[in-house]
């Protein structure tokens, strides 16, 4: 028994060492990728349900490896957050989104691009001045830029968050609460903070056709958002039944594979051109 215990301790310490080794290697290659700019910013259209028009696009990052394959953000954003690398990476994202907007607004002046901000970026004290510098440098209206924040950002240090959001809003940038309904935050903040939209998390949309409680949640979020004068975006719309349910129940906008997957910038511009010729 003694030997077994000892060898299992050895086993675990070896496994741990390997895990931390792997993490360090991953951190080093992420750092290298940031220095070399091995990232691409994809855009996923967001459509107004009633008109079917593209009104916005969500910017979603991808990491392009040397062999040409793509790494999904869920596989490196958490590490980027833990290590603080999300701050330079997030700056790259905002810059790139600004450059894209510069071109996009020539096709469609009203189109917005929304950018995901992780908690670490949001607590960076240079965020507002950085946003200002990007807007100035790209020569785009701040109104075309939107930030997506998760509920997690909102619960720590309410006063600071309120001040930051006020500053962002004063610039003209709008704010969405992402993955709404999956966090633990109180609903009181919705009333107190300057927020423009709620994004209903994909997990509530997925089984809309069959799950009564998901329907109830989606209806409640739409009703609450509208009574607080907030817009509503449904994520992860994959079929026409989901689209119809959302349309019938006054959801404003939606995004999902039914309309388009996230695509490279050129493909997105192509979609805008096709839309404007219809
Ligand atoms: P998110 O902000 O909730 O983004 C939506 C995710 O849902 C995207 O995954 C998108 O590709 C996916 N999606 C959209 N429509 C559908 C659909 O109809 N069905 C299904 N199954 N999925 C759909 P993606 O691009 O892999 O991004 C995952 C997460 O990574 C994002 O979740 C966001 O939290 C994070 N992320 C992505 N880009 C950035 C970034 O630039 N900065 C930061 N901080 N986080 C990012
Ligand atoms: Ca998002
Ligand atoms: Ca989301
Ligand atoms: Ca999500």
């Amino acid at each position: 028994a003694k030997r077994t215990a000892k060898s299992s301790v050895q086993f675990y310490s070896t496994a741990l060492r390997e895990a931390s080794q792997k993490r360090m290697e991953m951190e080093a290659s992420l750092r290298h990728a940031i220095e070399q700019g091995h990232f691409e910013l994809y855009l996923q259209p967001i459509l107004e349900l009633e008109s079917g028009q593209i009104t916005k696009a969500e910017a979603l990052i991808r990491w392009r490896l040397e062999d040409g394959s793509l790494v999904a953000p869920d596989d490196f954003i958490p590490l980027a957050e833990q290590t603080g690398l999300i701050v330079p990476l997030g700056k790259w994202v905002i810059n790139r989104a600004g450059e894209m907007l510069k071109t996009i607004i020539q096709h469609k002046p009203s189109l917005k691009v929304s950018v995901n901000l992780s908690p670490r970026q949001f607590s960076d004290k240079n965020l507002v001045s950085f946003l200002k510098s990007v807007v100035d440098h790209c020569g785009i209206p701040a109104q075309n830029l939107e930030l997506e924040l998760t509920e997690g950002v909102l619960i720590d240090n309410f006063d600071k968050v309120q001040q930051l959001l006020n500053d962002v809003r004063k610039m003209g940038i709008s704010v969405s609460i992402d993955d709404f309904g999956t966090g633990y935050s109180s609903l009181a903040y919705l009333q107190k903070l300057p927020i423009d939209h709620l994004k209903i998390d994909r997990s509530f949309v997925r089984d809309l056709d069959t799950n009564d409680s998901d329907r109830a949640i989606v209806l409640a979020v739409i009703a609450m958002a509208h009574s607080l004068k907030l817009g509503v975006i449904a994520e992860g719309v994959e079929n026409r039944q989901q689209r119809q349910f959302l349309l019938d129940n006054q959801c404003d906008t939606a995004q999902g594979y039914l309309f388009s997957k996230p695509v490279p910038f050129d493909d997105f511009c192509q979609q805008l051109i096709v839309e404007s010729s219809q």
Side-chain angles (χ1 to χ4, degrees):
K2 218 174 170 185
R3 260 178 68 183
T4 313
K6 193 179 170 200
S7 62
S8 70
V9 166
Q10 256 165 7
F11 171 77
Y12 281 116
S13 69
T14 306
L16 275 176
R17 200 165 50 237
E18 278 168 6
S20 92
Q21 178 78 31
K22 207 168 166 232
R23 194 176 171 282
M24 275 165 62
E25 280 167 18
M26 175 99 173
E27 183 181 340
S29 52
L30 187 57
R31 204 177 288 277
H32 176 76
I34 293 172
E35 282 158 10
Q36 301 294 314
H38 291 168
F39 296 93
E40 288 169 32
L41 199 58
Y42 276 33
L43 294 175
Q44 186 177 34
I46 300 176
L47 288 82
E48 202 170 62
L49 279 164
E50 214 167 275
S51 65
Q53 293 277 312
I54 301 171
T55 55
K56 207 184 285 184
E58 178 173 5
L60 294 157
I61 195 170
R62 268 86 185 109
W63 176 3
R64 178 78 67 183
L65 299 181
E66 316 270 343
D67 67 5
S69 61
L70 285 180
V71 187
D74 286 333
D75 294 330
F76 64 91
I77 292 288
L79 182 64
E81 287 195 44
Q82 287 160 28
T83 54
L85 288 171
I86 192 67
V87 174
L89 193 56
K91 285 184 173 169
W92 177 84
V93 168
I94 295 168
N95 246 319
R96 188 77 194 98
E99 284 167 12
M100 288 177 167
L101 267 172
K102 199 171 156 181
T103 304
I104 290 172
I105 56 182
Q106 293 169 3
H107 293 287
K108 189 161 184 172
S110 63
L111 198 118
K112 293 188 180 212
V113 170
S114 66
V115 165
N116 292 283
L117 279 198
S118 66
R120 184 86 167 238
Q121 290 173 271
F122 195 68
S123 60
D124 177 26
K125 58 184 186 314
N126 299 317
L127 177 67
V128 173
S129 61
F130 180 74
L131 288 167
K132 282 203 177 96
S133 72
V134 170
V135 164
D136 288 348
H137 177 255
C138 296
I140 53 166
Q143 283 72 15
N144 290 78
L145 205 55
E146 186 161 304
L147 302 180
E148 296 193 9
L149 307 172
T150 52
E151 291 170 271
V153 168
L154 305 177
I155 40 180
D156 61 57
N157 198 343
F158 186 88
D159 290 342
K160 206 182 110 194
V161 168
Q162 190 169 36
Q163 184 58 51
L164 248 168
L165 287 180
N166 282 335
D167 291 347
V168 164
R169 271 294 229 53
K170 233 178 277 165
M171 278 183 68
I173 295 177
S174 51
V175 176
S176 290
I177 302 303
D178 203 359
D179 302 344
F180 185 74
T182 61
Y184 296 96
S185 51
S186 114
L187 295 179
Y189 73 78
L190 287 181
Q191 213 182 10
K192 293 184 187 135
L193 293 173
I195 291 165
D196 301 279
H197 311 279
L198 300 182
K199 295 192 78 170
I200 301 176
D201 191 65
R202 182 152 48 99
S203 59
F204 301 115
V205 174
R206 189 177 46 222
D207 303 321
L208 265 187
D209 328 348
T210 52
N211 188 314
D212 285 344
S213 67
D214 284 345
R215 284 174 189 252
I217 290 170
V218 167
L219 292 180
V221 174
I222 295 171
M224 182 183 63
H226 286 164
S227 69
L228 293 169
K229 308 267 186 292
L230 305 174
V232 190
I233 302 151
E235 295 184 330
V237 177
E238 294 186 353
N239 62 50
R240 285 151 73 180
Q241 292 89 321
Q242 293 163 340
R243 177 187 160 275
Q244 197 58 47
F245 178 85
L246 293 161
L247 180 62
D248 290 344
N249 291 288
Q250 281 77 49
C251 182
D252 309 298
T253 50
Q255 78 187 96
Y257 296 169
L258 175 66
F259 310 110
S260 170
K261 291 197 168 185
V263 292
F265 178 64
D266 290 348
D267 295 4
F268 178 76
C269 290
Q270 196 55 43
Q271 288 192 32
L272 286 185
I273 291 167
V274 168
E275 182 188 81
S276 70
S277 68
Q278 272 167 357

